Amino acid sequence: MASVVFEQIYKRYGTVTAVKNLSLEVRDCEFMVLVGPSGCGKTTALRMIAGLEEITEGRIKIGDKVVNDIEPRDRDIAMVFQNYALYPHMSVYDNMAFGLKIRRMPKSEIDARLAEAAKQLGIDQYLHRRPKELSGGQRQRVALGRAIVREPQVFLMDEPLSNLDAKLRVQTRAELIKLHRRLGITTIYVTHDQVEAMTMGDRIAVMKDGVLQQCDSPMEIYRKPVNLFVAGFIGTPSMNFLPGTVTESIDGELVVDVKAFTFDIPAEHKERVAGMKGRKVILGMRPADMFDASLKNPVGVSARNCLTALVDVVEPMGDIVTAYLKVGDAGVCEVDLVATLDGQTGAKSGAKMSVLVDVSRSHLFDAETEEAIY
Amino acid sequence: MASVVFEQIYKRYGTVTAVKNLSLEVRDCEFMVLVGPSGCGKTTALRMIAGLEEITEGRIKIGDKVVNDIEPRDRDIAMVFQNYALYPHMSVYDNMAFGLKIRRMPKSEIDARLAEAAKQLGIDQYLHRRPKELSGGQRQRVALGRAIVREPQVFLMDEPLSNLDAKLRVQTRAELIKLHRRLGITTIYVTHDQVEAMTMGDRIAVMKDGVLQQCDSPMEIYRKPVNLFVAGFIGTPSMNFLPGTVTESIDGELVVDVKAFTFDIPAEHKERVAGMKGRKVILGMRPADMFDASLKNPVGVSARNCLTALVDVVEPMGDIVTAYLKVGDAGVCEVDLVATLDGQTGAKSGAKMSVLVDVSRSHLFDAETEEAIY
Amino acid sequence: MSERINKSPIGPVAALVIGSIAMLLPLGWMLLTSLKTFPEVLAYPPVWWPAHPQWNNYIEAFRQFHFAGYLRNSLFLVALNVTGTLVSCTMAAYAFAFLEWRHKNILFGLLLSSMMLPGQVTVIPLFQLYVKLHWINTYWPLTIPSWLGCNVFGIFLLRQFFLTIPKDYLNAARIDGASEWLILRKVIIPMASPALLTVGVFTFVGSWNDLWGPLIFLHDERLYTLPVGLMNFIGMAGTAEGTPWHLMMAVATTMMLPIVMLFFFAQKSFIEGIATAGIKE
Amino acid sequence: RDSRVASPRELTWMLPSDLDRPLYEGILRDFAQAHPEIPIKPVWVTPGQYQVKLRTLLAANQAPDIFRCGDVWVANMLPFLHDITPLVERDAQQIDLDDIYPEVRAASCYKCRYYFIPSWYNVSLLYYNKKLFDERGVAYPRADWTWDNYIQAARKLTYRRPNGDQIWGSDMTTGWWGEWLIYVRQSGGDLFDPSVERCTLDSPSAVRGLEFYFDRMSQYHVVAPLGFSPPNGFAGGKIAMLPGGHVGSWVTYNKLPNLDWDIQVMPRGPFSQKGGEIAMDSWGISKTCNNPEAAWTLIKFITSKDGIRRQVLDGHLSIRRSVSAELKQQLTSRRPANRDASYRALQFGQRIPQSPDFIELAIDIVQPEVDLMLQGRQSPKQAAHKAAAAANQFMKVLGRSRSKG
Amino acid sequence: METREKKWFWTMAAPAVTGFVFFVLGPMLYSLFLSFTKFDVVSPPVWIGTGNYSYLLHDDPAFWPSVRVTLIFTAVSVPLALIIALIVALLLNTNVRGIGVFRTIYYLPSLLPSVASGVLWVWVFDPNVGLFNSLLRLIGIQGPGWTSSVVWALPALIIMSLWGFGGSMVIFLAGLQGVSRSLYEAASLDGAGPWEKFVHVTIPQISPVIFFNLTTGLIGAMKVFDNAYVFGAASGAGPGGPARATLFYVLNLYQKAFNYFHMGLGSAMAWLLFIAIMVLTAINFLLAKRWVHQAN
Ligand SMILES: Nc1ncnc2c1ncn2[C@@H]1O[C@H](COP(=O)(O)OP(=O)(O)OP(=O)(O)O)[C@@H](O)[C@H]1O
Ligand SMILES: Nc1ncnc2c1ncn2[C@@H]1O[C@H](COP(=O)(O)OP(=O)(O)OP(=O)(O)O)[C@@H](O)[C@H]1O
Ligand SMILES: [Mg+2]
Ligand SMILES: [Mg+2]
């Protein structure tokens, strides 16, 4: 087990800079998720740890050792590839044993390790099959098994779940977490799916265009995104963004005016906004922080911020309903909002409804820098 | 616009029966979703409508016409394929115009139709690009556009969203619904993703092993699944299933005994269960119908059915947390449960917690026939 | 081999350079010989480098051996064969890849097994057949077979390539109202261009270099192609003046040029064509 | 393209496209002037492929009206040849048969019938490079040379020049019967018995001939080791003597200004001087020709005195005594100076066995054994015995049944 | 629908099937018939039963030598060409700048008309002034008289045919490009060096391509004609010479059928070859089950 440290890492391909000035410490035994949209440099970062890409600038340390010039085979890491990269011509057993055989481990020990890993992963009855004779989920487990038996210092995983179907993905997610808990091996996990990131990571590193945006625990990132990008990227459906201005209300309080209506500024943030009058801002509001006013009010939500909205589309999802709403005068200052409402809502596509907003959970961003104000 | 009717359709490939005795009416202008696990025959059913597979037995009618022996080109349908099947060597314009040119439509009319469709779909600025120069979402829209301009009687879509990433999928879902509402063309939509089925369909037809299980509106299917399969398939995370027996409690009431504990039978279903004492059953409980007892009780949930559980894994997802629980004595009658709890829950992996169950929403299935009792 | 392709590998490149010198040596010898005078050709010990490059040899070769006429004939045949092969093989490959008929795999196997057939098995009966058809000393025997899909390897390669094209493209076009012809022309052919190029190159080379066919079926010198023309030169070897090596090398060099150019420019798509077709039995 | 097939009235004439091409093009031009009523369409083919082409055309029933038909092939092609005996007899006066060297005339008959008329003949001669003889001070070959004289001269002529050039006393013809058959015959043997039903190469005298053929390389070292013969052989100027050379080479030898060459009859063997080969280069008419009369006109034109004269002037050997006499003066300045030797050699000449299987037997059955002998893999005696056994087996199983069938 | 596709199938396949029937199947069967006859082109074929076959197997002095030459050639040149082609393909399988030039250079010789390359090589092998012996002389060795030596003529032909390994090389190259890079990456993380990667990833992954090249190479070697024919003609050794050292099977067949018009005999030889190739290919396919990794 070891920590992994990026020190001002750059990676350039010709004129493209895939990773820019990345500094990040993955602690010993931590499960770190690198997340970001496609092309943001996650895979590149991961492959630099593995030694599959050269580092253009900066240093990477595994444990205390700078690994820039160490061959992949000597870094004591294991990687799970997106397409698993199982050797198609070898049996499951041989796939898993390959790395050990090459390192000249005695056969008895290989068998012991394999037996244990296969049992843990529930693939012991497939050991003699070829990868193509396995289902997607089983293959995924073999890929994992191949990594586990090596007992490496660091696990690297590049979107290992993306080839699984939705149900299996959810299930495997939980298994991976359990596995990590049991083995306690430092793991760096790449995904573009923020749900995976949120549910799996001890900490999440959000990247965009090769630049690290924020690295923190999932809840912290969800609740306190440092900028517009992170706020929009994490959480599904995405946070609603309403461009507006900080203005003074009739009663002298600072409020956010988003044309269609105005929002209060939560008491605990008033201080920070003081003096920002006239500043162009973007108000952020998570779909889950809006409620059907006709149902019982959730505790602590002031009834003050209530909007009338036209329901555009309703997507029922069992106990929850996603409603696509239009607020404000059509053509003048109409705004689209998404809200996840309780399944008991009577919202019907085409009808009007009242929506209660939990302003205490709203976010505010500087329209220019896109940094969070609160 | 036309209805589509399956009349006792069979499809056999050699010894494999892909579709068994399917009778289903898709009403004019309806958005019907065919859903089911991989290999259940959805695609086969769809392709029989398109005329891409021969019908082994039975009749398919589009409108009033039996189409069994009509060529695909003469069925007046349009299809959106999973991988879009956009011709890579043609521009977006040519892709969309292909079907019209073949039907020798005058160029002026083609241009008019294309312009309108492209505007609707927001792809008007890409008309001269090749498919590979488009993002996944844009491609998806071109595929849709190609279907729309044909103005067919029926749209067939085979997992059109499965190649999009999570965010885009959610967004496109809503767009498709709006499109359907605007055009009002009968649409048959195949997916294996129950979330898509739930959110999009006017009605959902759930299939398994070539056999239609249930066809009804999404809410009806979610709330009143007709059998164990449908109950488990619809809803995420899946419904918890607890095998048990109908027994009599000390106070003479019939209850469901699942070893680790017993569940009350909701008042409105008591009648149905009467006389079933001793019957092997399976109790179903949706993760969303379980609550953290330490938070404020939801209205109307009796405090009577409260369990003590060991928290195994916690997956935070913003405002909601998925908790994997273990209930009962380890090794003896331990049961795994999944619950989606409010984000404010204090549940920690490894700790104990009290879980409240909304028994009024529980389901009961005959263990043998797997049919729903209530 | 190496996953770090961007690291320039000195060792392999050096090996490549040495190897290509070995490959080129005979060709260089050929080129140099084609520029020598006749005495230089015969000089012993050999003269490596011509004192005054005799570009005239090329003109001489052209003049003396009806080169222009052979060239025209070769080009004519190559053009016919390449077109014919592409048309007939594409059609057959389309049928075998996309259209269903119960016994098509047996038929395809039969077709493939004819690749094992030595051409000499059939040449005698073929000759009889062509006699009956009055095709001897005409271009029919050298062109009609290629228009009738007798390039089985071409069919094989194209079919393998077509199998990698998702069937949904065809289905989409069928639903759009296209006939199979139209699908082949407007959908499949544009998508299969690397494979078509590969088959085209193979056919070009095969037809350009074909010695056997013209040798057997043509008698009139005016119909001869370049390889047979070159055989003419060798025929001169019996006469005392000796083989006009320098002129022969000039002809050989000229014969090679079009093919070198063809491959150099088509090289990438050519290999891609083979790669995507995937050689699997 | 079918338009290239001759129109019915046109006569097709199949010609080898070799160095004689300009000659025949001239003949064609003149014939067109002399006989505008007989259009001729020449079909030029690769010389090396002439026989194969001709055979396939014969098989295809598309035979050219006039084609080359040496005596080597006549037995083989008899079924396709027009018997021109009546024409020859009718026009005996005009063609003046008596003017033709008697040996040539005799060799032009097959079983006493005429199937072709020769335009020139080949006879085995000893060719020598005067410059090399002068360089070593060796006397030129004489008509009464024996094998021994030849060997002695060759030994003297085999030497290395100060500049390193290797000069060889003699050349050796490999790959076909051309040279060894002469020695076999000169030592009293032959390849076949007269009826060509049995191979007699294993007779002691025949073996003797083979030995002489081989010893020049293995014993006397007057011939370059196998494969190391200087480039272009005799024409290359590094070989002093070429026994058994072909008169067809005159044309090309004369195009090499530095080659000062002459001829002599072949040296005499232990049994006789007779043994050289006479071969005809002649023209025959196809049986399928629908206007043999016109074809006959062309052949007469080619072999007329005028025709022969122009061929002789082009470097060929005359078949007509009158032409030889007439041009004698004019040709003295030309090589070979000792042109008479070529006429004299006729009396030492012999035809190859008249059997349809001869070529296949000689090339495919016998020659490989001779090759092995030259490689030093077997003695001449072994080679002769093995070749004879194989040839007899061939004739027993395939050849004889074929010639009868 | 099936009838519709069937109709289209036959429409599309019609030219090829017609060609197959008329130019392959028909002639094949006819030549089978001819192989039991005596046929000299001039007169009609005469049925002689298995006479041709028994002559070939028992009496023909050229048959077994030609089989021997062909087998030696096959056994030596096919594996050698395969190994060289694979090594070169491995070297060429990079994206270094200018790699196209190298690919062209290595592929070029196989594109050369066999007439041209035959002529060229006879010249290269010329004992006195040829390139080969000139080079050998530079290092002080007197080379053999290649084309006229029973010992060296076949090796010379083998060297000449090896020069044209480019055909299998491009196919190897294509195969190598199809090997997923992530397999190599996985292997290097597993601790494999270049050799282990070659043995455990490259070889199994391209085994279908190796098999393809092996099969076509064997078939091609058994059918060698052009090179041998031109070689014999240009070197002056005569077809198959010297002493049948380069008398390849098909060359022998050609001589019999087209030089001497033993068409029946030629047909019999052709059929024996066809059967031999089929047997060899069948064995090859059977053995392949043990070592060829099937992709799907
Ligand atoms: N070998 C390469 N050559 C040039 N550019 C590259 C190369 N590999 C990656 N890039 C570029 O670097 C950037 C980062 O790529 P990377 O694969 O790390 O993205 P990613 O975050 O993993 O995306 P995804 O989610 O799509 O896998 C992209 O813009 C990509 O185009
Ligand atoms: N051409 C065919 N030949 C034989 N069996 C087939 C064929 N096509 C489909 N099947 C079988 O028919 C069954 C239904 O296949 P179908 O493609 O309709 O499933 P599906 O519900 O669309 O699954 P998925 O979600 O994986 O696309 C499967 O068992 C499949 O294996
Ligand atoms: Mg990536
Ligand atoms: Mg499907």
Side-chain angles (χ1 to χ4, degrees), chain A residues 84-374:
Chain A
Y84 316 140
L86 297 178
Y87 310 119
H89 50 281
M90 295 185 195
S91 67
V92 168
Y93 176 94
D94 289 332
N95 262 285
M96 290 171 67
F98 185 67
L100 305 180
K101 278 184 190 161
I102 282 187
R103 286 160 209 275
R104 309 206 182 288
M105 185 177 284
K107 175 136 176 49
S108 57
E109 199 182 335
I110 294 182
D111 283 346
R113 281 210 196 173
L114 249 73
E116 198 200 320
K119 214 168 121 235
Q120 271 183 18
L121 294 164
I123 49 174
D124 27 5
Q125 65 270 52
Y126 310 127
L127 282 179
H128 293 286
R129 291 211 196 153
R130 294 275 165 97
K132 67 171 177 224
E133 296 158 358
L134 300 178
S135 74
Q138 290 162 346
R139 278 181 219 183
Q140 207 279 339
R141 258 170 271 176
V142 175
L144 217 53
R146 181 169 68 174
I148 292 172
V149 292
R150 291 260 316 282
E151 297 181 2
Q153 291 201 354
V154 182
F155 273 144
L156 306 176
M157 306 193 185
D158 192 357
E159 315 213 0
L161 305 184
S162 63
N163 283 345
L164 302 182
D165 73 22
K167 287 252 151 179
L168 206 53
R169 209 178 306 165
V170 172
Q171 182 187 329
T172 316
R173 229 154 61 190
E175 283 177 16
L176 272 178
I177 299 172
K178 284 192 227 168
L179 192 74
H180 175 248
R181 216 164 49 207
R182 194 161 51 231
L183 301 174
I185 294 178
T186 316
T187 303
I188 304 174
Y189 183 105
V190 160
T191 179
H192 63 257
D193 180 351
Q194 54 87 28
V195 176
E196 264 173 41
M198 290 289 284
T199 53
M200 301 180 78
D202 289 335
R203 286 194 301 154
I204 302 179
V206 184
M207 294 183 68
K208 184 196 165 196
D209 295 341
V211 178
L212 179 65
Q213 305 287 313
Q214 185 171 8
C215 178
D216 217 325
S217 73
M219 271 307 159
E220 208 56 19
I221 288 192
Y222 185 77
R223 294 206 177 123
K224 294 181 193 153
V226 297
N227 60 28
L228 203 65
F229 170 76
V230 176
F233 188 76
I234 300 290
T236 181
S238 287
M239 190 184 276
N240 294 294
F241 291 124
L242 309 166
T245 330
V246 178
T247 50
E248 209 160 304
S249 70
I250 322 164
D251 47 2
E253 298 274 7
L254 283 185
V255 292
V256 180
D257 179 356
V258 298
K259 290 236 184 82
F261 41 87
T262 57
F263 280 98
D264 289 347
I265 288 168
E268 70 261 42
H269 300 311
K270 287 233 163 92
E271 215 167 301
R272 252 184 256 182
V273 187
M276 286 196 180
K277 199 182 139 185
R279 179 85 64 98
K280 294 266 176 237
V281 291
I282 293 166
L283 186 96
M285 185 62 61
R286 293 214 180 268
D289 295 332
M290 298 195 264
F291 306 91
D292 183 345
S294 67
L295 299 178
K296 254 195 339 148
N297 275 12
V299 191
V301 177
S302 134
R304 215 181 112 106
N305 293 282
C306 188
L307 323 167
T308 306
L310 178 72
V311 183
D312 192 9
V313 175
V314 178
E315 287 185 354
M317 302 181 67
D319 292 291
I320 283 177
V321 162
T322 309
Y324 296 82
L325 311 170
K326 287 193 184 297
V327 179
D329 303 334
V332 184
C333 53
E334 199 182 50
V335 179
D336 286 327
L337 286 181
V338 180
T340 50
L341 307 176
D342 190 285
Q344 291 166 352
T345 182
K348 277 244 141 46
S349 165
K352 298 244 165 192
M353 73 175 292
S354 287
V355 178
L356 204 58
V357 177
D358 185 352
V359 172
S360 71
R361 298 228 189 143
S362 68
H363 299 259
L364 200 66
F365 304 92
D366 188 308
E368 213 168 308
T369 64
E370 301 194 344
E371 297 296 320
I373 297 169
Y374 59 80

Side-chain angles (χ1 to χ4, degrees), chain C residues 10 19 37 41 46 60 66 79 95-96 123 129 149 159 172 175 203 245 248 273:
Chain C
I10 295 300
T37 61
V41 171
E60 180 64 15
H66 315 278
F96 284 112
V123 77
L129 177 70
R159 184 190 91 117
I175 289 174
T203 312
W245 289 109
M248 282 169 69

Side-chain angles (χ1 to χ4, degrees), chain B residues 38-44 47 82 158-159 190 192:
Chain B
S38 189
C40 71
K42 313 174 294 285
T43 298
T44 307
R47 289 165 57 88
Q82 182 170 355
D158 193 356
E159 316 213 1
V190 160
H192 63 258

Side-chain angles (χ1 to χ4, degrees), chain E residues 213-226:
Chain E
N213 272 338
L214 180 67
T215 311
T216 51
L218 285 177
I219 294 176
M222 307 268 285
K223 298 203 296 192
V224 162
F225 170 75
D226 280 15

Side-chain angles (χ1 to χ4, degrees), chain D residues 65-327:
Chain D
D65 294 309
I66 300 137
F67 52 86
R68 178 178 266 189
C69 179
D71 61 329
V72 182
W73 297 100
V74 70
N76 220 286
M77 281 199 249
L78 216 52
F80 303 99
L81 284 168
H82 194 83
D83 183 351
I84 56 175
T85 320
L87 296 171
V88 173
E89 281 165 359
R90 186 192 69 192
D91 295 342
Q93 205 65 32
Q94 187 189 355
I95 55 178
D96 195 3
L97 275 179
D98 293 339
D99 189 29
I100 297 176
Y101 288 105
E103 294 86 353
V104 175
R105 217 172 79 196
S108 299
C109 290
Y110 183 80
K111 297 190 174 157
C112 301
R113 309 285 302 171
Y114 286 97
Y115 294 94
F116 56 79
I117 301 293
S119 62
W120 42 272
Y121 66 88
N122 176 42
V123 67
S124 308
L125 290 165
L126 177 67
Y127 291 69
Y128 63 95
N129 185 324
K130 286 174 151 175
K131 214 159 84 188
L132 294 177
F133 272 76
D134 295 344
E135 199 174 308
R136 294 298 278 177
V138 180
Y140 294 149
R142 290 157 40 118
D144 57 359
W145 263 20
T146 61
W147 285 3
D148 287 342
N149 299 123
Y150 157 77
I151 292 293
Q152 276 162 17
R155 277 181 152 161
K156 284 189 209 137
L157 288 161
T158 303
Y159 69 107
R160 192 179 284 274
R161 284 199 183 125
N163 68 3
D165 280 2
Q166 177 65 50
I167 307 297
W168 294 100
S170 177
D171 199 2
M172 179 156 114
T173 305
T174 56
W176 63 298
W177 68 84
E179 197 177 350
W180 56 257
L181 186 56
I182 302 175
Y183 304 134
V184 167
R185 285 172 162 177
Q186 285 188 339
S187 53
D190 206 340
L191 186 52
F192 298 107
D193 66 1
S195 58
V196 203
E197 281 180 355
R198 212 175 64 76
C199 177
T200 54
L201 197 60
D202 50 357
S203 75
S205 38
V207 170
R208 173 99 210 276
L210 273 187
E211 274 166 357
F212 177 70
Y213 175 68
F214 181 50
D215 286 350
R216 295 175 303 155
M217 184 194 293
S218 62
Q219 297 275 293
Y220 309 122
H221 305 293
V222 297
V223 164
L226 202 59
F228 286 89
S229 188
N232 287 321
F234 182 73
K238 307 267 169 69
I239 294 175
M241 287 183 285
L242 169 65
H246 197 281
V247 299
S249 314
W250 291 14
V251 180
T252 39
Y253 288 171
N254 281 337
K255 286 187 177 150
L256 302 173
N258 292 328
L259 187 69
D260 187 6
W261 62 286
D262 207 341
I263 54 172
Q264 187 51 277
V265 294
M266 287 293 290
R268 188 191 149 81
F271 177 74
S272 81
Q273 193 148 15
K274 211 170 153 95
E277 182 181 334
I278 299 185
M280 300 298 129
D281 198 84
S282 2
W283 301 104
I285 299 174
S286 163
K287 222 172 203 164
T288 56
C289 176
N290 48 21
N291 192 356
E293 199 61 51
W296 176 236
T297 311
L298 175 64
I299 289 181
K300 280 190 292 184
F301 187 81
I302 305 168
T303 58
S304 68
K305 282 181 187 157
D306 282 347
I308 297 300
R309 187 182 301 117
R310 70 190 304 159
Q311 290 176 56
V312 171
L313 288 176
D314 202 58
H316 286 292
L317 202 48
S318 167
I319 56 160
R320 290 184 179 276
R321 290 188 278 209
S322 62
V323 177
S324 309
E326 173 196 335
L327 294 180

Side-chain angles (χ1 to χ4, degrees), chain B residues 82-339:
Chain B
Q82 182 170 355
N83 57 6
Y84 317 140
L86 296 178
Y87 310 124
H89 53 284
M90 295 186 196
S91 67
V92 169
Y93 177 94
D94 289 332
N95 262 286
M96 290 171 68
F98 187 67
L100 305 180
K101 278 185 189 160
I102 287 178
R103 286 159 207 274
R104 307 204 184 290
M105 186 176 284
K107 174 135 176 50
S108 57
E109 200 182 333
I110 294 182
D111 284 345
R113 281 208 195 174
L114 250 74
E116 199 200 319
K119 213 167 123 239
Q120 271 183 18
L121 295 164
I123 49 175
D124 28 5
Q125 65 270 52
Y126 309 127
L127 283 178
H128 294 287
R129 292 212 195 152
R130 293 276 166 97
K132 65 163 181 250
E133 296 159 359
L134 299 178
S135 74
Q138 291 162 346
R139 279 182 219 180
Q140 206 279 337
R141 259 172 269 175
V142 175
L144 219 52
R146 182 167 67 173
I148 291 174
V149 293
R150 291 262 317 282
E151 296 181 3
Q153 291 200 354
V154 182
F155 273 144
L156 305 176
M157 306 192 185
D158 193 356
E159 316 213 1
L161 304 184
S162 63
N163 282 346
L164 302 181
D165 73 24
K167 287 252 148 179
L168 206 53
R169 209 178 306 166
V170 172
Q171 184 187 328
T172 316
R173 229 153 62 189
E175 284 177 15
L176 271 178
I177 298 173
K178 284 192 228 169
L179 192 75
H180 175 249
R181 218 166 45 211
R182 195 161 51 231
L183 301 175
I185 293 177
T186 315
T187 304
I188 304 175
Y189 184 106
V190 160
T191 179
H192 63 258
D193 181 353
Q194 53 88 25
V195 176
E196 264 173 41
M198 290 287 286
T199 53
M200 301 180 76
D202 288 336
R203 286 193 300 154
I204 302 179
V206 184
M207 294 181 69
K208 185 196 165 195
D209 295 342
V211 178
L212 179 64
Q213 305 287 314
Q214 184 169 11
C215 177
D216 218 324
S217 72
M219 272 306 159
E220 208 57 18
I221 287 192
Y222 185 77
R223 295 208 176 118
K224 295 181 193 152
V226 297
N227 60 27
L228 203 65
F229 170 75
V230 176
F233 189 75
I234 300 290
T236 181
S238 288
M239 190 185 277
N240 296 294
F241 290 124
L242 309 166
T245 329
V246 177
T247 51
E248 208 161 305
S249 71
I250 320 165
D251 47 1
E253 297 274 6
L254 283 184
V255 292
V256 180
D257 178 356
V258 297
K259 290 236 182 82
F261 42 86
T262 57
F263 281 98
D264 288 347
I265 288 168
E268 69 262 43
H269 300 311
K270 287 232 162 93
E271 214 168 301
R272 253 185 258 182
V273 187
M276 287 195 179
K277 200 181 139 185
R279 179 87 64 98
K280 295 267 174 234
V281 292
I282 292 166
L283 186 97
M285 185 61 62
R286 293 212 181 268
D289 296 332
M290 297 195 263
F291 307 91
D292 182 346
S294 68
L295 299 178
K296 248 185 356 138
N297 276 12
V299 191
V301 177
S302 135
R304 213 181 112 104
N305 293 284
C306 190
L307 323 167
T308 306
L310 178 72
V311 183
D312 191 11
V313 175
V314 178
E315 287 185 355
M317 303 182 66
D319 292 290
I320 282 176
V321 161
T322 309
Y324 296 81
L325 311 170
K326 288 192 184 299
V327 179
D329 303 334
V332 183
C333 52
E334 198 182 50
V335 180
D336 287 326
L337 286 181
V338 181

Side-chain angles (χ1 to χ4, degrees), chain A residues 13 16 18 37-44 159 192:
Chain A
Y13 294 109
V16 179
S38 189
C40 71
K42 313 173 295 285
T43 297
T44 308
E159 315 213 0
H192 63 257

